[in-house]
Amino acid sequence: MKSFGTSPKRTVEVELKLALHTTDSNRLEQSLARLPLLARRKASRQALHNTYFDTPQEDLNRQRIALRVRRVGSAECPQWLQTLKIGGNSQSALSRRGEWEESIPDATLSQTMLEGTPWNELDPAGTLFTKLQPCFITAFQRTRWTVRRRDGSTVEVALDIGHILADGHNAPICELELELLQGDASTLFSVAAEISRTLAVLPLGISKAERGYALARNTLLQPQNARPPVLHPRTKMPLAAVQVLREMLDQFCANLATLTQSDDPEVVHQTRVAWRRFRSGLSLFKKSEWVKSIPDWQLLRPLLLGLSALRDLDVAHLETLPMLAHAYTGDDPNRQAHWHAMQEALTQAVDQQRRVVRTALSSPVTGATLLALTAWLEGGPSAPFTKTESHERKATPRRWAHKRIAHLREQFKASQRNTSDPAAEHRTRILAKRLRYGIEALAPLLPKRRSHHWYQQALQVQSDIGTKRDVQRALEIAVRLKAHDGLLEFLRGFLVNTA
């Protein structure tokens, strides 16, 4: 270790984070140790206790800065490290952050250690430092393996099992961190791919520090909504495609991770929204040769179908059928019994379908496919433009975006001329969603008033068609659950009246 008071050196931490599905540390460690990748490598173990500091207004967090004091080892024989981390991409499981770390004599936050780091520019007068206070703690057992490749690249594989403590709340830590010690970032995905062949993982775009802040706010298990990237009119199109698709995939993976711990129907909804946004994003950039090279995601179909079925059950259970309950039951005890029996069957169906989804999430193939998509995104286009994309070379991002959304708008308008059959109506609804998601993703590049008008039109059409679809799905579910004949007839009549 370095002597106390020396100026910390900057390093760039390149790390791939993966969520795991169980907190059984012995089982996880044994599973990892048996992998061919790690079987002949000696593991080391450390107990790590970290206290993170920020102001009550979270000034550091808002600027993507993390400041912590780490205790290595036991409380009886500790060693202390102070770490400053800056930057990082919270919309990807792969993060790159500047890191400054130094030994300190005890658990007291050291202002001296921050000298010679970017802290001096952030807090030249030292007033911010005086406002810092402990905001949350992470405590976990870390088991490490070092993987050295023949090409000279080196990766540290770390299994972290423990918990986060914040303002009386507690949340588990169960994840893998793959840190690049030497070589190219692609090596991280290569190592992760070997692990994902036998162990269920999920790309994790949120750090322990970010989870700590969320736990302190009691928002850790809330669904993640869309957070479209801020695009500049001069953003090159290949970079814009990466930024847009990365955010969409991150929303999907983040909500999948939450689904392993939460029964909130809104998490299911936002998970499905995220995947539809991702598919719409691929359609936006479909002429790009890079987008055409996307890895095969068809192995996600069992998960996607399971999510769709669960969402249909949730909507029927919590939205569509409750609004019709009184119209059917009135004060009739028999009808009330029919309705209650259907609701009981529906509750059981929801629970069963949620188990189906979690079973799909626990399959290694799910994580392996999501990892492949993440690696593809982080690899990015190999060149600014290909020969087949020469037409985009002349177009500014703003002009390109306007042209793409205008084209989607024309497709949407044309589809509205024929909604006489369910298939045509379904296509109109799909195009309405694509138009909405496209406008959301490219909003900074679009004419504000016109795009807002188009957005509202698409939203209204989607809502109108969606209401009828929800009643149809509720009827199909009631038939499948063998609801009383009188109740089924009521639902059929209501559906005819809303057509």
Side-chain angles (χ1 to χ4, degrees), residues 254-271:
N255 283 306
L256 287 177
T258 303
L259 268 177
T260 64
Q261 304 175 57
S262 171
D263 294 344
D264 184 355
E266 185 60 21
V267 177
V268 178
H269 177 50
Q270 289 303 321
T271 305

Side-chain angles (χ1 to χ4, degrees), residues 100-156:
W100 292 260
E101 188 168 86
E102 184 57 73
S103 300
I104 55 175
D106 54 38
T108 305
L109 196 62
S110 170
Q111 190 171 11
T112 302
M113 176 264 172
L114 295 172
E115 295 177 0
T117 76
W119 186 271
N120 292 336
E121 298 177 12
L122 174 71
D123 186 28
T127 54
L128 185 62
F129 186 86
T130 62
K131 299 177 183 178
L132 297 176
Q133 61 186 38
C135 49
F136 57 88
I137 290 168
T138 65
F140 51 92
Q141 180 80 18
R142 169 166 287 177
T143 305
R144 288 189 178 102
W145 295 265
T146 302
V147 177
R148 293 181 174 84
R149 299 293 204 186
R150 291 182 179 179
D151 63 1
S153 57
T154 306
V155 173
E156 178 185 272

Side-chain angles (χ1 to χ4, degrees), residues 50-61 65-69 109 131-138 164-169 208-218:
N50 308 285
T51 302
Y52 286 80
F53 293 82
D54 206 338
T55 67
Q57 293 75 34
E58 296 187 6
D59 291 286
L60 300 189
N61 183 42
I65 295 173
L67 180 61
R68 75 175 184 225
V69 170
L109 196 62
K131 299 177 183 178
L132 297 176
Q133 61 186 38
C135 49
F136 57 88
I137 290 168
T138 65
I164 306 171
L165 294 170
D167 195 25
H169 301 292
K208 294 184 184 69
E210 290 171 306
R211 293 184 68 215
Y213 281 110
L215 181 64
R217 302 187 212 104
N218 199 25

